[in-house]
Amino acid sequence: MLKLTIGKLNIQLNGVDAEQIPDNTLLFRSDFQGEADLTYTIRIGENPPVISSPVIYRAKDIMVFGKPDGLEARLLYMPDSRDCYAYYEEISEKEINIYVNGAYLNHLKIDTIFISLLALERHEERHGAFILHCAYMSFDGKAILFSGPSGIGKSTHSGLWCNEYLDRTCVLNGDKCLLTMDDGRLFANGWPVCGSSGICQNERREVAAIILLQQSMINQFIEEKPMRNFKQLLAQITVNYWNNQYTDDAMNFIESLLQRTGCATYACNISSEAVVTLYNKLKEKRWIC
């Protein structure tokens, strides 16, 4: 049995040991006391039950089934081969069985494969937490989040900040963070998947600013209309769009964070000048000290 605390969830894993799961997931090991919020039983090589529930969503790497009482089941596929590597089934809101194809046991060491098994985005949403695609950077103890589509330069830009302000800056995750709202304040939390950056820390910071990156020859700080910021953030937050309640909660969360946290578009090149220009703008806005 393993215990993890990820975001607001205390998690118990049965059926696997520490050697079988990713190192980044082990950064979230916990010794919480009392009942777990979620208990997963991972059954390796066992045949799953016959699926009789209707399909409510289908994509190349997942098929989602709707069960009674709002529960779900999922077939998970390898994106490159369409081979099914696992079946996820909710027995209740707190109890989940996962049947893993024994041929893919070694794949559990891959961050994205293992975390996909747990459907954590679904369970975090129920606790008011959402995954943002971003480079999560700590600056003077507060989080600056660089968000935008893959390849836009999030990791590169955060790396430039580390070069320019070495003693004040560090990257805590190069690809994602978990956003939570506590007492009206927005926080970034660690997430056990970090993409190709290889940078993953289990750290929590209050968010000072969210910067929506664009590529440009000229460095330009742009304060968009709230609806524009809303649409750009929604595109970078993990949302199960087949679940209407999840979708509504995600949109309400974004509206709330935009009322409490500085958010702007920054069109920039890849240079130390781009870093200094943004730094000065954030200071001018008093989003950082």
Side-chain angles (χ1 to χ4, degrees), residues 133-134 147-155 175-176 195-196 213 215 235-236:
H133 181 210
C134 67
S147 189
S150 296
I152 203 70
K154 299 181 293 295
S155 295
D175 191 58
K176 287 180 172 62
S196 61
L213 287 179
Q215 294 178 349
Q236 301 306 321

Side-chain angles (χ1 to χ4, degrees), residues 245-264:
Q245 185 61 57
Y246 189 133
T247 305
D248 288 345
D249 289 345
M251 291 192 293
N252 290 334
F253 183 85
I254 294 170
E255 287 181 357
S256 180
L257 77 83
L258 286 173
Q259 293 170 3
R260 293 168 167 80
T261 306
C263 180

